[in-house]
Amino acid sequence: METRLFDRTHLTEAVKLLKKGEVVAFPTETVYGLGGDATNFEAVQKIFAAKGRPGDNPLISHVCHATQVEDYAEKISEKAYQLMDAFWPGPLTLILTAKKGKIASNVTAGLPTVSFRMPDNPLALELIKRVGKPLAAPSANTSGKPSPTTAAHVLHDLKGKISGIVDGGPATVGLESTVLDMTHPRGPVILRPGAITREQLEAIIGSVLQPVGLHLDTTVPKAPGMKYKHYSPKEPVYIVSKKGIGWEKAIAHFQSMGEHIGLLASDLVLARFCADGIDSYSLGPKPDATEASKHLYSGLRFFEQTNATIILAEELDDGEAGLAFMNRLEKAADLKRI
Ligand code: TXA
Ligand code: MG
C-alpha cells in the first residue's frame, strides 16, 4: 500500500480517505495518532492490524467538541463536564459509560466504557470536524515501540501499512494523555499519568485517586494497555539515579564491560560527560520534566540508529510535573537504575 504524506494544505485528501474507511495518521499535541472512523468496525480493524496491537486493548476516540461525546456516552457526570470545560482541547482522556451500539465494538474492546479526548491541534480538530465522526486513534507506532512525536517516526514504523500521514510538525507535549476513569464507584481514578496532573484535576473536581508505581493498585480497574510492555527500545536503558553512583562511575562501569554508551540527558550533564565513543541525545538545556518530555521518545528512537549498546538516562524530579516523564522512562528502563 502506498503511504501518502499530507500537509495542512492537503487535508481534503486525508478526509476522503478517512470517510472511505481507510486509516490515516495525524498530529496531536501529545503524540501522533493512527486515526480511523470510530463508528466503522472495518476501519478500526485496520488500525489494530497496522500496529500489530492486541484486540483486547481499547482505543481512545477523538472528538472536536465536548457535545459530540453525548452521541456516544451516557450518564455523563457534572464532574466530567467540568473537566472537559477546563482541559479540552488538551491532553486529558476521560473514560465514560458507553451508549450501546454507537461506537464500533472493537474500539472499546467489548468493554461497557468508552474513552474520549479532544486534542489540542488545529489539524486534528479540522480533520475530525470534516469527517463528521469521532476518530479512534491509538499512538501511531508499531506496538512495543516508543510513541511517535514526528511524522518521520510514523513513516519509519508504518510505511506501506497505512494510507496516509498528515504532517503537523513535532508534538509539543511529547507524552501520551492523562487517562482518567470517570466510571469507578470509588470516584475518578488516574489510569495513566500525563501532562494534566492530579493537582490540576483536583483543583476542578476535588479528590482524584492516583495509584502509585508502575503496577497499579489491584483494587481499581486497569487500563488494559498497562499490562503490555510499552515504550522499550532494543538497547537496555538504565536510569542514572540521583542517589546512585553518579555519571562518572556509571559510564566507567559500562565501558569496562565493553558497552558503547548512549547518554540521554540534559545539556548540563552532556557538557560534562560527552566524549569520543559516546553517543548523546539532549533532553533540553537543563533538567526540566516538561521540556524533557518533548525529547524522550525521539531520544529512545535515535539510539536505535546509533552504535549504542546501552542507554544511560537522567533521572528527573518525579513531583507532580515529572511524574509522567518518570513513568515512561521507568517503563523503558524496566525499572533498572544505577
Ligand atoms: O495522547 C494520547 O492519549 C494518544 C493520542 C494519539 O491521543 N493516544 C494514545 O492511545 O496514547 P493508546 O491507544 O496508545 O493508549 C490508550 C490507553 C491504553 O492504555 C488503553 O488501554 C486505555 O487508554 N484505554 C482506552 N479506552 C479505555 C477504556 N474504555 N477503559 C480502560 N482503559 C482504556
Ligand atoms: Mg500507545
Side-chain angles (χ1 to χ4, degrees), residues 31-32 51 53 57 137-148 176 192 225 230-231 297:
V31 299
Y32 274 70
K51 276 185 64 95
R53 182 181 175 107
N57 193 3
S139 49
N141 51 296
T142 299
S143 268
K145 288 262 181 186
S147 293
E176 307 84 348
R192 179 175 71 184
H230 264 325
Y231 321 115
Y297 289 147

PDB file of all heavy atoms in Angstrom, residues 31-32 51 53 57 137-148 176 192 225 230-231 297, ligand 2:
ATOM      1  N   VAL A  31       1.146  12.976  21.072  1.00  0.00           N
ATOM      2  CA  VAL A  31       1.917  12.152  20.130  1.00  0.00           C
ATOM      3  C   VAL A  31       1.060  12.013  18.878  1.00  0.00           C
ATOM      4  O   VAL A  31      -0.121  12.370  18.892  1.00  0.00           O
ATOM      5  CB  VAL A  31       2.216  10.742  20.734  1.00  0.00           C
ATOM      6  CG1 VAL A  31       3.036  10.856  22.015  1.00  0.00           C
ATOM      7  CG2 VAL A  31       0.940   9.946  20.990  1.00  0.00           C
ATOM      8  N   TYR A  32       1.630  11.485  17.789  1.00  0.00           N
ATOM      9  CA  TYR A  32       0.816  11.248  16.593  1.00  0.00           C
ATOM     10  C   TYR A  32      -0.145  10.083  16.855  1.00  0.00           C
ATOM     11  O   TYR A  32       0.205   9.105  17.518  1.00  0.00           O
ATOM     12  CB  TYR A  32       1.706  10.928  15.388  1.00  0.00           C
ATOM     13  CG  TYR A  32       2.193  12.178  14.678  1.00  0.00           C
ATOM     14  CD1 TYR A  32       3.129  13.013  15.286  1.00  0.00           C
ATOM     15  CD2 TYR A  32       1.695  12.532  13.421  1.00  0.00           C
ATOM     16  CE1 TYR A  32       3.555  14.172  14.660  1.00  0.00           C
ATOM     17  CE2 TYR A  32       2.127  13.687  12.781  1.00  0.00           C
ATOM     18  CZ  TYR A  32       3.046  14.508  13.400  1.00  0.00           C
ATOM     19  OH  TYR A  32       3.463  15.656  12.770  1.00  0.00           O
ATOM     20  N   LYS A  51      -0.798  -1.643  13.427  1.00  0.00           N
ATOM     21  CA  LYS A  51       0.079  -1.510  14.598  1.00  0.00           C
ATOM     22  C   LYS A  51       0.539  -2.840  15.156  1.00  0.00           C
ATOM     23  O   LYS A  51       1.482  -2.894  15.947  1.00  0.00           O
ATOM     24  CB  LYS A  51      -0.702  -0.825  15.746  1.00  0.00           C
ATOM     25  CG  LYS A  51      -0.747   0.665  15.708  1.00  0.00           C
ATOM     26  CD  LYS A  51      -1.446   1.184  16.971  1.00  0.00           C
ATOM     27  CE  LYS A  51      -0.723   0.872  18.257  1.00  0.00           C
ATOM     28  NZ  LYS A  51       0.159   1.907  18.772  1.00  0.00           N
ATOM     29  N   ARG A  53      -1.513  -4.446  17.158  1.00  0.00           N
ATOM     30  CA  ARG A  53      -1.988  -4.219  18.532  1.00  0.00           C
ATOM     31  C   ARG A  53      -2.950  -5.315  18.965  1.00  0.00           C
ATOM     32  O   ARG A  53      -3.839  -5.684  18.207  1.00  0.00           O
ATOM     33  CB  ARG A  53      -2.697  -2.866  18.583  1.00  0.00           C
ATOM     34  CG  ARG A  53      -3.207  -2.455  19.981  1.00  0.00           C
ATOM     35  CD  ARG A  53      -3.891  -1.108  19.849  1.00  0.00           C
ATOM     36  NE  ARG A  53      -4.531  -0.620  21.043  1.00  0.00           N
ATOM     37  CZ  ARG A  53      -4.057   0.384  21.792  1.00  0.00           C
ATOM     38  NH1 ARG A  53      -2.916   0.945  21.486  1.00  0.00           N
ATOM     39  NH2 ARG A  53      -4.730   0.800  22.834  1.00  0.00           N
ATOM     40  N   ASN A  57      -7.113  -4.375  23.787  1.00  0.00           N
ATOM     41  CA  ASN A  57      -6.652  -3.083  24.299  1.00  0.00           C
ATOM     42  C   ASN A  57      -7.437  -1.963  23.616  1.00  0.00           C
ATOM     43  O   ASN A  57      -7.231  -1.677  22.440  1.00  0.00           O
ATOM     44  CB  ASN A  57      -5.147  -2.946  24.025  1.00  0.00           C
ATOM     45  CG  ASN A  57      -4.523  -1.793  24.795  1.00  0.00           C
ATOM     46  OD1 ASN A  57      -5.203  -1.132  25.581  1.00  0.00           O
ATOM     47  ND2 ASN A  57      -3.256  -1.553  24.554  1.00  0.00           N
ATOM     48  N   ALA A 137      -8.158   6.552  17.687  1.00  0.00           N
ATOM     49  CA  ALA A 137      -6.724   6.657  17.378  1.00  0.00           C
ATOM     50  C   ALA A 137      -5.850   6.280  18.562  1.00  0.00           C
ATOM     51  O   ALA A 137      -5.842   6.971  19.577  1.00  0.00           O
ATOM     52  CB  ALA A 137      -6.366   8.074  16.925  1.00  0.00           C
ATOM     53  N   PRO A 138      -5.110   5.190  18.423  1.00  0.00           N
ATOM     54  CA  PRO A 138      -4.031   4.909  19.366  1.00  0.00           C
ATOM     55  C   PRO A 138      -2.799   5.666  18.895  1.00  0.00           C
ATOM     56  O   PRO A 138      -2.817   6.289  17.827  1.00  0.00           O
ATOM     57  CB  PRO A 138      -3.820   3.405  19.203  1.00  0.00           C
ATOM     58  CG  PRO A 138      -4.145   3.148  17.761  1.00  0.00           C
ATOM     59  CD  PRO A 138      -5.208   4.163  17.371  1.00  0.00           C
ATOM     60  N   SER A 139      -1.737   5.645  19.661  1.00  0.00           N
ATOM     61  CA  SER A 139      -0.486   6.235  19.191  1.00  0.00           C
ATOM     62  C   SER A 139      -0.056   5.519  17.902  1.00  0.00           C
ATOM     63  O   SER A 139      -0.244   4.307  17.769  1.00  0.00           O
ATOM     64  CB  SER A 139       0.589   6.100  20.267  1.00  0.00           C
ATOM     65  OG  SER A 139       0.644   4.771  20.753  1.00  0.00           O
ATOM     66  N   ALA A 140       0.502   6.280  16.952  1.00  0.00           N
ATOM     67  CA  ALA A 140       0.745   5.752  15.600  1.00  0.00           C
ATOM     68  C   ALA A 140       2.113   5.082  15.467  1.00  0.00           C
ATOM     69  O   ALA A 140       2.843   5.321  14.502  1.00  0.00           O
ATOM     70  CB  ALA A 140       0.592   6.882  14.575  1.00  0.00           C
ATOM     71  N   ASN A 141       2.450   4.232  16.444  1.00  0.00           N
ATOM     72  CA  ASN A 141       3.693   3.464  16.390  1.00  0.00           C
ATOM     73  C   ASN A 141       3.354   1.989  16.200  1.00  0.00           C
ATOM     74  O   ASN A 141       2.221   1.571  16.431  1.00  0.00           O
ATOM     75  CB  ASN A 141       4.453   3.625  17.724  1.00  0.00           C
ATOM     76  CG  ASN A 141       3.552   3.345  18.919  1.00  0.00           C
ATOM     77  OD1 ASN A 141       2.582   4.066  19.153  1.00  0.00           O
ATOM     78  ND2 ASN A 141       3.839   2.277  19.632  1.00  0.00           N
ATOM     79  N   THR A 142       4.362   1.200  15.817  1.00  0.00           N
ATOM     80  CA  THR A 142       4.207  -0.248  15.891  1.00  0.00           C
ATOM     81  C   THR A 142       4.126  -0.600  17.370  1.00  0.00           C
ATOM     82  O   THR A 142       4.854  -0.023  18.177  1.00  0.00           O
ATOM     83  CB  THR A 142       5.441  -0.921  15.255  1.00  0.00           C
ATOM     84  OG1 THR A 142       5.510  -0.509  13.891  1.00  0.00           O
ATOM     85  CG2 THR A 142       5.367  -2.431  15.333  1.00  0.00           C
ATOM     86  N   SER A 143       3.247  -1.520  17.748  1.00  0.00           N
ATOM     87  CA  SER A 143       3.117  -1.907  19.166  1.00  0.00           C
ATOM     88  C   SER A 143       4.473  -2.287  19.739  1.00  0.00           C
ATOM     89  O   SER A 143       5.232  -3.011  19.105  1.00  0.00           O
ATOM     90  CB  SER A 143       2.167  -3.100  19.303  1.00  0.00           C
ATOM     91  OG  SER A 143       0.873  -2.648  19.509  1.00  0.00           O
ATOM     92  N   GLY A 144       4.775  -1.760  20.946  1.00  0.00           N
ATOM     93  CA  GLY A 144       6.060  -2.066  21.581  1.00  0.00           C
ATOM     94  C   GLY A 144       7.152  -1.052  21.310  1.00  0.00           C
ATOM     95  O   GLY A 144       8.186  -1.062  21.965  1.00  0.00           O
ATOM     96  N   LYS A 145       6.948  -0.170  20.334  1.00  0.00           N
ATOM     97  CA  LYS A 145       7.919   0.904  20.037  1.00  0.00           C
ATOM     98  C   LYS A 145       7.514   2.177  20.796  1.00  0.00           C
ATOM     99  O   LYS A 145       6.350   2.325  21.145  1.00  0.00           O
ATOM    100  CB  LYS A 145       7.879   1.233  18.538  1.00  0.00           C
ATOM    101  CG  LYS A 145       8.494   0.168  17.673  1.00  0.00           C
ATOM    102  CD  LYS A 145       9.896   0.576  17.346  1.00  0.00           C
ATOM    103  CE  LYS A 145      10.545  -0.454  16.445  1.00  0.00           C
ATOM    104  NZ  LYS A 145      11.954  -0.126  16.254  1.00  0.00           N
ATOM    105  N   PRO A 146       8.452   3.110  20.976  1.00  0.00           N
ATOM    106  CA  PRO A 146       8.052   4.378  21.598  1.00  0.00           C
ATOM    107  C   PRO A 146       7.007   5.095  20.732  1.00  0.00           C
ATOM    108  O   PRO A 146       7.048   4.987  19.507  1.00  0.00           O
ATOM    109  CB  PRO A 146       9.346   5.197  21.627  1.00  0.00           C
ATOM    110  CG  PRO A 146      10.453   4.214  21.455  1.00  0.00           C
ATOM    111  CD  PRO A 146       9.880   3.083  20.642  1.00  0.00           C
ATOM    112  N   SER A 147       6.101   5.815  21.362  1.00  0.00           N
ATOM    113  CA  SER A 147       5.104   6.572  20.599  1.00  0.00           C
ATOM    114  C   SER A 147       5.797   7.591  19.705  1.00  0.00           C
ATOM    115  O   SER A 147       6.854   8.108  20.045  1.00  0.00           O
ATOM    116  CB  SER A 147       4.156   7.300  21.554  1.00  0.00           C
ATOM    117  OG  SER A 147       3.372   6.381  22.266  1.00  0.00           O
ATOM    118  N   PRO A 148       5.185   7.899  18.539  1.00  0.00           N
ATOM    119  CA  PRO A 148       5.817   8.814  17.581  1.00  0.00           C
ATOM    120  C   PRO A 148       5.515  10.276  17.902  1.00  0.00           C
ATOM    121  O   PRO A 148       4.362  10.625  18.145  1.00  0.00           O
ATOM    122  CB  PRO A 148       5.160   8.425  16.259  1.00  0.00           C
ATOM    123  CG  PRO A 148       3.833   7.855  16.642  1.00  0.00           C
ATOM    124  CD  PRO A 148       3.932   7.318  18.039  1.00  0.00           C
ATOM    125  N   GLU A 176       1.955  10.691  26.011  1.00  0.00           N
ATOM    126  CA  GLU A 176       0.522  10.432  25.848  1.00  0.00           C
ATOM    127  C   GLU A 176      -0.300  11.085  26.973  1.00  0.00           C
ATOM    128  O   GLU A 176       0.188  11.303  28.077  1.00  0.00           O
ATOM    129  CB  GLU A 176       0.240   8.925  25.844  1.00  0.00           C
ATOM    130  CG  GLU A 176       1.051   8.122  24.847  1.00  0.00           C
ATOM    131  CD  GLU A 176       2.425   7.740  25.375  1.00  0.00           C
ATOM    132  OE1 GLU A 176       2.850   8.284  26.418  1.00  0.00           O
ATOM    133  OE2 GLU A 176       3.078   6.908  24.747  1.00  0.00           O
ATOM    134  N   ARG A 192      -3.473   6.437  33.745  1.00  0.00           N
ATOM    135  CA  ARG A 192      -2.169   6.685  33.115  1.00  0.00           C
ATOM    136  C   ARG A 192      -1.803   8.137  33.382  1.00  0.00           C
ATOM    137  O   ARG A 192      -2.565   9.037  33.027  1.00  0.00           O
ATOM    138  CB  ARG A 192      -2.257   6.430  31.597  1.00  0.00           C
ATOM    139  CG  ARG A 192      -0.944   6.687  30.869  1.00  0.00           C
ATOM    140  CD  ARG A 192      -1.001   6.310  29.393  1.00  0.00           C
ATOM    141  NE  ARG A 192      -1.814   7.228  28.623  1.00  0.00           N
ATOM    142  CZ  ARG A 192      -2.084   7.089  27.329  1.00  0.00           C
ATOM    143  NH1 ARG A 192      -1.641   6.035  26.666  1.00  0.00           N
ATOM    144  NH2 ARG A 192      -2.815   7.981  26.709  1.00  0.00           N
ATOM    145  N   GLY A 225      -4.206  -1.403  28.457  1.00  0.00           N
ATOM    146  CA  GLY A 225      -2.894  -1.179  27.844  1.00  0.00           C
ATOM    147  C   GLY A 225      -1.743  -1.282  28.828  1.00  0.00           C
ATOM    148  O   GLY A 225      -0.604  -1.525  28.437  1.00  0.00           O
ATOM    149  N   HIS A 230       5.539  -1.562  27.127  1.00  0.00           N
ATOM    150  CA  HIS A 230       5.459  -0.431  26.201  1.00  0.00           C
ATOM    151  C   HIS A 230       6.807   0.242  26.082  1.00  0.00           C
ATOM    152  O   HIS A 230       7.684   0.047  26.916  1.00  0.00           O
ATOM    153  CB  HIS A 230       4.498   0.608  26.759  1.00  0.00           C
ATOM    154  CG  HIS A 230       3.115   0.471  26.200  1.00  0.00           C
ATOM    155  ND1 HIS A 230       2.867   0.085  24.919  1.00  0.00           N
ATOM    156  CD2 HIS A 230       1.910   0.676  26.758  1.00  0.00           C
ATOM    157  CE1 HIS A 230       1.576   0.069  24.718  1.00  0.00           C
ATOM    158  NE2 HIS A 230       0.958   0.417  25.819  1.00  0.00           N
ATOM    159  N   TYR A 231       6.936   1.102  25.135  1.00  0.00           N
ATOM    160  CA  TYR A 231       7.966   2.142  25.113  1.00  0.00           C
ATOM    161  C   TYR A 231       9.409   1.631  25.199  1.00  0.00           C
ATOM    162  O   TYR A 231      10.287   2.363  25.605  1.00  0.00           O
ATOM    163  CB  TYR A 231       7.769   3.133  26.295  1.00  0.00           C
ATOM    164  CG  TYR A 231       6.363   3.501  26.631  1.00  0.00           C
ATOM    165  CD1 TYR A 231       5.801   3.155  27.841  1.00  0.00           C
ATOM    166  CD2 TYR A 231       5.601   4.216  25.714  1.00  0.00           C
ATOM    167  CE1 TYR A 231       4.506   3.506  28.139  1.00  0.00           C
ATOM    168  CE2 TYR A 231       4.306   4.569  26.020  1.00  0.00           C
ATOM    169  CZ  TYR A 231       3.766   4.219  27.221  1.00  0.00           C
ATOM    170  OH  TYR A 231       2.497   4.558  27.531  1.00  0.00           O
ATOM    171  N   TYR A 297      10.927  10.355  23.629  1.00  0.00           N
ATOM    172  CA  TYR A 297      10.695   9.304  22.643  1.00  0.00           C
ATOM    173  C   TYR A 297      11.609   9.445  21.427  1.00  0.00           C
ATOM    174  O   TYR A 297      12.087   8.440  20.899  1.00  0.00           O
ATOM    175  CB  TYR A 297       9.225   9.279  22.210  1.00  0.00           C
ATOM    176  CG  TYR A 297       8.285   8.777  23.291  1.00  0.00           C
ATOM    177  CD1 TYR A 297       6.997   9.277  23.398  1.00  0.00           C
ATOM    178  CD2 TYR A 297       8.690   7.801  24.193  1.00  0.00           C
ATOM    179  CE1 TYR A 297       6.127   8.810  24.371  1.00  0.00           C
ATOM    180  CE2 TYR A 297       7.825   7.332  25.179  1.00  0.00           C
ATOM    181  CZ  TYR A 297       6.548   7.844  25.263  1.00  0.00           C
ATOM    182  OH  TYR A 297       5.684   7.389  26.223  1.00  0.00           O
TER     183      TYR A 297
HETATM  184 MG    MG B   2       0.290   3.667  22.583  1.00  0.00          MG
END
